[in-house]
């Protein structure tokens, strides 16, 4: 089941593949079996420095930054086209490395294609303003690329979350250095290999793999790094913010969540149950914006929990690469242990496990990191599993009696990434969306996002936004120019 990939996955620096300064390789695993999948170059601090140097040189000397955006748009559009023709190959790679189902992987790679197309359309629309000022003066602003931008990605949507930062940075004329997560670097490396074919100058897109503390911090602290986009845990996000503050560079932080799904008594319970199951069991629950806390009106609590539990119990677990699998494994044995630990803590703190609550211990899935879709009811608000992000297929259920109580529970967390509302009443939908302390709200739908809509969180969930039409400008700096137009008086 774990087709091992023969060709090693090397770093991509300056348009060339390199095993890195020390020539080391390490295996990455297939989480469906924990068998070795591929050999990946291990980068170190000197590789990070080399990538930054090469990126800076490409930024200064290639046509990429000075272009008006038209040629960049063509190259990014071409990159989208190449990726689209190879979508199946990339989807398989993502599935084998990360574990998600092949259907989910196709959706992820399709989203990357759309992101590239979308930002390609923005590349030649980076405009300044003219500003009215006193006297005989002309004042205008220009948007310039920043220089070398650094992008640090997590393992749950390896290519999507990397490219949603890299693509707008490239569209704005920057040179990018990407560090994918060490567990799941394959799709990013394969993507880096496509840049040349798309006509992107060597050195404008570089991929360096390695540990976060060594390679990640070397990239962020490099004097050539002009901005960092980070998606990952709050703990590392805070470290990145500290490093960025010391260097006075902007940082976009997309961090964790503990997102509420509020279900009112008038909701279509069958649709809601499907959406809730999708929102917490999709990608095996390894989603920053997973709807991980179900807040349901007491009058429909039993009916809804029964429906969601049925979906959970009926979910077919299996290797993502097999077409009939509906949920793949968790990304690693460590992560499996962490998720299982949260469920045990919920049990010991008074939660009732309605369904799931165990890893799959039977052959052939026992060799992989499979954890059953789990519903836990009635754990107190103070329980660790209610307060902290589990990042697995575990739904915590609570009931409420009034709208005020639902809002208080929904907002009573350090996070503020996403929230969902299920109701047929228009006024309830709008007023609840307004009162929810979350960067994104979906009404009567499972979590859904598009390259053209902003994606970002409030409170502990992050700083800044990805996606949407403003994102390309976030990778530019704004310069004001004032010109004195006074004509010197002729000498008498
Ligand atoms: P992580 O924070 O452990 O790692 C993320 C990346 O940071 C990896 O590439 C890692 O190597 C790197 N890194 C680690 N330490 C570093 C350091 N000191 N300096 C620089 N880089 C460093 O996160 P993860 O476990 O890969 O991902 C899971 C987390 O990501 C969850 O908390 C999840 O909610 C969050 N996430 C957020 C979003 C969002 O859009 N808000 C999306 C997906 C995942």
């Amino acid at each position: 089941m774990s087709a091992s990939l023969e060709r090693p996955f090397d770093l991509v620096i300056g348009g060339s593949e390199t095993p890195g300064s020390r020539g080391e390789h390490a295996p990455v695993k297939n989480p469906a079996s924990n068998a070795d999948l591929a050999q990946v170059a291990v980068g170190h601090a000197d590789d990070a420095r080399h990538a930054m140097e090469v990126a800076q040189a490409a930024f200064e000397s290639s046509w990429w930054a000075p272009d008006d955006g038209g040629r960049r748009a063509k190259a990014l559009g071409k990159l989208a086209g190449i990726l689209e023709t190879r979508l199946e190959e990339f989807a398989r790679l993502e599935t084998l490395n990360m574990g998600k189902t092949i259907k989910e992987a196709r959706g992820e790679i399709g989203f990357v294609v759309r992101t590239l197309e979308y930002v390609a359309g923005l590349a030649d629309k980076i405009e300044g303003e003219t500003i009215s000022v006193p006297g005989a003066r002309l004042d205008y602003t220009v948007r310039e690329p920043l220089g070398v931008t650094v992008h640090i990605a997590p393992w749950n949507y390896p290519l999507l979350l990397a490219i949603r930062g890299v693509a707008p940075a490239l569209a704005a004329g920057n040179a990018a250095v990407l560090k994918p997560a060490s567990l799941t670097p394959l799709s990013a490396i394969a993507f880096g290999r496509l840049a040349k074919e798309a006509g992107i100058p060597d050195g404008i897109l570089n991929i360096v793999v390695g540990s976060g503390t060594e390679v990640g911090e070397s990239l962020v602290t490099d004097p050539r790094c002009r901005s960092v986009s980070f998606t990952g845990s709050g703990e590392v996000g805070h470290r990145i913010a500290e490093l960025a503050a010391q260097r006075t560079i902007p940082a976009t932080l997309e961090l964790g969540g503990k997102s509420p799904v509020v279900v009112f008594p008038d909701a279509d319970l069958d649709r809601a149950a499907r959406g809730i199951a999708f929102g917490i069991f999709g990608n095996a629950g390894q989603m920053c914006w997973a709807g991980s806390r179900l807040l349901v009106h007491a009058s429909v609590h039993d009916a809804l929990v029964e429906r969601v539990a049925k979906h959970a119990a009926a979910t077919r677990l299996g290797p993502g690469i097999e077409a009939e699998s509906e949920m793949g494994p968790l990304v690693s044995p460590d992560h499996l242990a962490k998720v299982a630990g949260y469920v045990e803590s919920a049990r010991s703190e008074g939660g009732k496990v309605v369904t799931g609550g165990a890893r799959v211990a039977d052959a052939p899935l026992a060799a992989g990191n499979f954890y059953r879709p789990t519903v836990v009811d009635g754990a107190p608000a103070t329980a660790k599993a209610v307060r902290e992000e589990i990042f697995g297929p575990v739904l915590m259920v609570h009931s409420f009696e009034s709208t005020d109580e639902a809002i208080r529970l929904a907002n009573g967390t350090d996070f503020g990434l996403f929230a969902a509302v299920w109701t047929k009443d228009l006024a309830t939908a709008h007023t609840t969306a307004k009162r929810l302390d979350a960067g994104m709200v979906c009404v009567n739908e499972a979590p859904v996002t598009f390259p053209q809509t902003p994606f970002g969180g409030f409170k502990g969930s992050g700083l800044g936004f990805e996606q949407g039409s403003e994102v390309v400008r976030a990778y530019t700096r704004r310069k004001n120019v004032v010109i004195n137009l006074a004509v010197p008086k002729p000498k008498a």
Side-chain angles (χ1 to χ4, degrees):
M1 116 191 8
S2 63
S4 155
L5 304 165
E6 295 301 326
R7 179 179 171 192
F9 285 71
D10 284 339
L11 317 181
V12 182
I13 301 179
S16 305
E17 292 175 49
T18 160
S21 58
R22 301 195 200 166
E24 293 169 3
H25 287 87
V28 291
K29 308 274 183 189
N30 176 346
S33 61
N34 287 310
D36 287 359
L37 176 64
Q39 292 294 321
V40 178
V42 181
H44 290 279
D46 43 3
D47 298 304
R49 271 193 298 279
H50 177 50
M52 295 301 285
E53 187 185 328
V54 166
Q56 182 70 37
F59 176 76
E60 287 173 8
S61 61
S62 77
W63 59 265
W64 192 255
D67 183 57
D68 70 349
R71 204 168 156 197
R72 289 200 300 272
K74 271 204 180 116
L76 290 169
K78 191 164 177 197
L79 189 56
I82 297 168
L83 185 63
E84 193 167 30
T85 59
R86 296 175 61 172
L87 190 143
E88 194 59 26
E89 176 195 333
F90 272 77
R92 286 178 66 82
L93 199 58
E94 203 74 314
T95 290
L96 289 171
N97 191 187
M98 188 273 158
K100 65 184 62 196
T101 66
I102 187 71
K103 190 174 163 209
E104 288 167 333
R106 287 181 190 126
E108 181 191 331
I109 307 301
F111 196 98
V112 179
V113 171
R114 271 299 297 135
T115 300
L116 288 164
E117 289 169 347
Y118 179 71
V119 302
L122 297 172
D124 58 357
K125 296 169 191 67
I126 302 168
E127 294 161 357
E129 315 119 298
T130 54
I131 301 174
S132 171
V133 292
R137 295 184 182 88
L138 171 66
D139 190 288
Y140 62 90
T141 62
V142 279
R143 292 264 173 191
E144 301 174 338
L146 299 169
V148 179
T149 57
V150 165
H151 307 269
I152 299 180
W155 48 257
N156 59 333
Y157 288 85
L159 193 62
L160 192 166
L161 297 177
I163 302 310
R164 81 176 176 182
V166 165
L170 293 183
N174 300 285
V177 180
L178 164 65
K179 193 199 92 59
S182 306
L183 288 173
T184 57
L186 301 190
S187 54
I189 293 172
F191 183 85
R193 293 170 180 162
L194 304 181
K196 206 189 266 292
E197 194 183 336
I200 294 175
D202 290 348
I204 290 296
L205 173 60
N206 307 280
I207 320 289
V208 190
V209 187
S211 91
T213 43
E214 185 181 356
V215 171
E217 294 204 12
S218 299
L219 293 174
V220 178
T221 55
D222 189 284
R224 290 158 288 218
C225 169
R226 300 308 331 155
S227 99
V228 52
S229 73
F230 170 80
T231 303
S233 62
E235 193 187 349
V236 178
H238 297 161
R239 174 75 183 139
I240 301 273
E242 272 171 29
L243 296 174
Q246 284 165 19
R247 298 214 34 253
T248 332
I249 56 170
T252 302
L253 304 174
E254 296 288 351
L255 310 177
K258 192 74 185 176
S259 300
V261 179
V262 184
V263 182
F264 288 97
D266 65 334
D268 176 335
L269 295 188
D270 289 325
R271 264 188 72 196
R274 272 198 305 279
I276 290 161
F278 175 82
I280 184 64
F281 305 135
N283 213 36
Q286 299 161 117
M287 296 183 282
C288 54
W289 66 340
S292 51
R293 291 184 299 139
L294 171 58
L295 311 179
V296 53
H297 192 272
S299 63
V300 291
H301 169 277
D302 293 356
L304 184 62
V305 171
E306 188 190 334
R307 283 169 170 80
V308 177
K310 245 188 202 158
H311 281 289
T315 304
R316 217 173 304 130
L317 273 70
I321 205 71
E322 294 177 6
E324 58 281 7
S325 298
E326 293 171 337
M327 194 174 111
L330 297 175
V331 74
S332 68
D334 283 353
H335 192 55
L336 172 69
K338 183 176 153 201
V339 170
Y342 270 112
V343 175
E344 286 322 304
S345 78
R347 267 197 183 106
S348 68
E349 290 188 83
K352 177 181 161 233
V353 175
V354 179
T355 185
R359 69 172 298 177
V360 180
D362 314 321
L365 300 189
N369 314 313
F370 292 91
Y371 195 83
R372 296 195 187 283
T374 299
V375 177
V376 180
D377 197 8
T382 49
K384 184 172 142 83
V386 176
R387 288 180 292 107
E388 297 180 12
E389 182 182 45
I390 299 176
F391 220 56
V394 181
L395 180 68
M396 307 300 294
V397 184
H398 313 267
S399 58
F400 66 85
E401 300 281 352
S402 70
T403 302
D404 283 350
E405 186 188 2
I407 299 291
R408 188 174 47 72
L409 286 169
N411 291 341
T413 151
D414 296 337
F415 299 105
L417 188 58
F418 168 75
V421 182
W422 291 85
T423 178
K424 289 190 190 123
D425 184 72
L426 200 58
T428 305
H430 283 295
T431 51
T432 309
K434 187 168 180 186
R435 294 177 69 190
L436 286 166
D437 217 354
M440 295 171 284
V441 178
C442 279
V443 178
N444 293 335
E445 189 157 14
V448 67
T449 186
F450 307 95
Q452 58 269 48
T453 57
F455 192 110
F458 298 165
K459 302 196 287 185
S461 291
L463 203 59
F465 275 81
E466 302 277 8
Q467 304 179 186
S469 60
E470 287 175 29
V471 71
V472 170
R473 290 203 303 174
Y475 289 99
T476 63
R477 58 186 191 181
R478 194 174 180 215
K479 180 180 281 175
N480 190 75
V481 180
V482 59
I483 301 178
N484 191 317
L485 301 172
V487 182
K489 284 202 179 96
K491 281 194 183 120

